Amino acid sequence: MPGKLWLAAVALAVTPAAAQTPLERGKYLVEGILTCGNCHTPRGPGGVLDTTRRHAGGPQVWETAEYRVHPSNITPDKETGIGAWSRGEIEAAIRDARRPNGQQLSPQMPSAYYKIFAPADLDAVVAYMQSLPPVSRKVDPPLYKVKHMTVDIPPGADKPLPQAVVNDPVKRGFYLVTIGHCMECHTPIVNGHRDFKNGLGTGGERFEGPWGLSVSRNITSHKVNGIGAWTDEEVKRAITQGVRKDGSKLRPPMGYAWYATMTDADLGAIVRYLRTIARR
């Protein structure tokens, strides 16, 4: 990696003491806030992740009028994964939702939230993915029923965030929440589109799986409907341990096991940002 990109990747670490190499940064993101394995890892009985085949393709199937897809094998296996893809092709899939053959990826891949990626972070993610052990596991190919699929890009996330902006705690919180695609679950769909304008962070989406039924929470600053009455530590506990203010447990697909790997500074930045979301 060129020297400037390496320095940028290190600069994204939260403190000098936490300076990371690009591979370390990539692992921190992929196995943390990005929760890639939440979709792209096979599951065993009861929906438990099969960590022996991490990132080798998930069991879920998503079908809409536009597509029918399974989470792909994203290990560097040349036959069943992305081992034959170039660095640029992997970056295009992540950021632009485009396969090497030009086919648009389905919106289940949250590329709309990845357009904000700082270039050094995106480089680090790709470097880490290419460093993983290849796992041979064939996943059913996607079926695309239309040429173009609707994608809703969150406000302020349409282009890479400048390095100087990421260093501001609130803006870094916005950056992390965006690449973590939190608002993909916590913002309702109205008339076929995420209602970022009127419903940002208000939750209400339903998720059914081996865990039963989960409904995404309102994470705005509203003191009754949202998390405005929660302390910072209670919000962090919900994010990293899946425990609500009242002590009850959250259910998947909330990826608290991944978020538990985050630094306290990054968690604090996320809380700082969530406090700025208008009460609804």
Side-chain angles (χ1 to χ4, degrees):
M1 177 176 290
K4 287 184 180 179
L5 289 180
W6 187 89
L7 289 172
V10 170
L12 278 175
V14 294
T15 66
Q20 299 162 307
T21 66
L23 276 180
E24 289 170 341
R25 178 66 178 172
K27 180 177 181 180
Y28 176 75
L29 294 170
V30 169
E31 308 296 356
I33 186 66
L34 296 180
T35 65
C36 300
N38 212 14
C39 287
H40 288 280
T41 297
R43 293 178 184 267
V48 177
L49 289 170
D50 178 1
T51 55
T52 65
R53 297 186 293 172
R54 188 182 294 267
H55 303 304
Q60 306 95 315
V61 58
W62 291 291
E63 184 160 15
T64 72
E66 297 180 329
Y67 54 82
R68 186 179 191 274
V69 297
H70 288 80
S72 301
N73 181 337
I74 55 173
T75 73
D77 183 71
K78 290 187 179 296
E79 299 298 325
T80 63
I82 59 172
W85 297 22
S86 70
R87 172 181 289 270
E89 288 170 338
I90 298 172
E91 289 187 355
I94 295 172
R95 183 191 56 233
D96 303 323
R98 187 175 69 249
R99 287 180 173 274
N101 64 4
Q103 171 66 55
Q104 179 190 359
L105 290 167
S106 83
Q108 296 298 151
M109 174 65 173
S111 296
Y113 298 79
Y114 295 156
K115 294 183 182 302
I116 198 174
F117 253 127
D121 270 356
L122 184 55
D123 276 350
V125 165
V126 174
Y128 175 68
M129 296 306 301
Q130 290 182 315
S131 78
L132 293 173
V135 179
S136 178
R137 180 171 186 267
K138 189 173 182 179
V139 177
D140 287 345
L143 170 64
Y144 298 113
K145 307 172 186 178
V146 295
K147 269 194 171 182
H148 178 74
M149 290 161 277
T150 304
V151 174
D152 296 314
I153 300 174
D158 59 328
K159 58 187 176 182
L161 211 59
Q163 175 59 44
V165 173
V166 177
N167 288 335
D168 174 270
V170 173
K171 292 186 172 76
R172 185 167 80 245
F174 166 69
Y175 174 73
L176 292 167
V177 164
T178 303
I179 63 173
H181 46 95
C182 304
M183 296 307 171
E184 183 182 33
C185 292
H186 290 277
T187 299
I189 295 176
V190 177
N191 296 325
H193 296 275
R194 294 279 169 204
D195 188 12
F196 295 122
K197 182 177 180 180
N198 301 305
L200 182 71
T202 56
E205 187 159 352
R206 297 162 64 90
F207 300 90
E208 294 187 59
W211 53 80
L213 173 66
S214 296
V215 180
S216 64
R217 183 182 174 80
N218 183 320
I219 55 173
T220 74
S221 56
H222 196 285
K223 289 189 178 295
V224 177
N225 299 330
I227 57 174
W230 296 30
T231 67
D232 288 1
E233 292 308 311
E234 286 169 340
V235 177
K236 291 178 185 178
R237 184 179 68 169
I239 293 172
T240 61
Q241 299 177 40
V243 179
R244 298 183 183 90
K245 179 180 175 65
D246 64 6
S248 60
K249 288 286 291 183
L250 293 169
R251 295 179 179 180
M254 175 70 174
Y256 41 82
W258 280 271
Y259 305 144
T261 67
M262 297 177 65
T263 65
D264 191 64
D266 275 353
L267 287 167
I270 286 173
V271 174
R272 291 273 298 273
Y273 167 66
L274 291 178
R275 300 290 191 208
T276 70
I277 301 177
R279 306 173 189 174
R280 293 187 178 97

